[in-house]
Amino acid sequence: MLADNSFQIIGTVLHKEPMKIIDKSGLAVLEMEIETTEMWKNNQGGWEKKEYTLPVSVFGEKAKNCSERLPVGTTVRIAGKIRSRTKEARNGGKFLTINLVADEIQAHTQAPRNEPPKQTKSYPNDPEMPF
């Protein structure tokens, strides 16, 4: 049986600046949240929407570059793998968390720092853009 746990999603970098850390082995890790929206027509013909906040991890050189170039408000397309982890709760029980691990990130709109998004930027052949 063939199984695939890859994903591709478009969303907006949320809440706080993406947080870059260096793990014990020296690998750069970027933790961020993106928001994506699902819209559908209900039975009465009106539109409904639901927003989802998703955790995303980026590793290595991409983490370093993304931490410098993806401020809050940037719209991004992310492709990668879905990972799950079992964690221990405070009460001693266990729970499952899902995390998206980005292999590819492409900025669709760039939000200037401390300002809302204004325009679409494209970096098709820019060697400085790592994604």
Side-chain angles (χ1 to χ4, degrees):
M1 177 197 281
L2 181 62
D4 185 16
N5 74 340
S6 62
F7 73 92
Q8 181 172 306
I9 195 163
I10 295 175
T12 303
V13 177
L14 266 195
H15 301 303
K16 56 185 179 198
E17 294 299 319
M19 183 176 75
K20 181 180 77 173
I21 57 174
I22 306 295
D23 74 2
K24 294 175 186 173
S25 67
L27 180 69
V29 180
L30 178 72
E31 300 289 338
M32 65 179 171
E33 291 181 331
I34 64 163
E35 179 181 76
T36 188
T37 304
E38 175 184 17
M39 293 185 72
W40 68 93
K41 265 193 171 175
N42 61 26
N43 292 337
Q44 291 77 34
W47 286 98
E48 293 190 40
K49 75 176 187 177
K50 180 158 176 74
E51 295 174 341
Y52 299 93
T53 300
L54 305 166
V56 177
S57 297
V58 186
F59 296 94
E61 196 63 33
K62 285 183 184 133
K64 292 177 186 176
N65 292 324
C66 289
S67 70
E68 298 166 2
R69 297 175 185 216
L70 294 179
V72 170
T74 302
T75 301
V76 292
R77 184 194 64 82
I78 301 175
K81 301 281 186 231
I82 301 168
R83 297 285 185 248
S84 64
R85 289 184 249 173
T86 302
K87 293 186 175 183
E88 191 167 320
R90 291 181 188 155
N91 66 4
K94 295 190 178 199
F95 64 97
L96 182 70
T97 63
I98 301 295
N99 193 44
L100 306 178
V101 178
D103 294 327
E104 300 174 24
I105 299 179
Q106 179 182 16
H108 283 269
T109 61
Q110 183 79 32
R113 299 225 182 247
N114 300 321
E115 295 179 29
K118 291 183 182 175
Q119 59 186 353
T120 300
K121 291 188 178 181
S122 177
Y123 305 95
N125 298 313
D126 185 350
E128 295 297 312
M129 280 305 280
F131 27 40

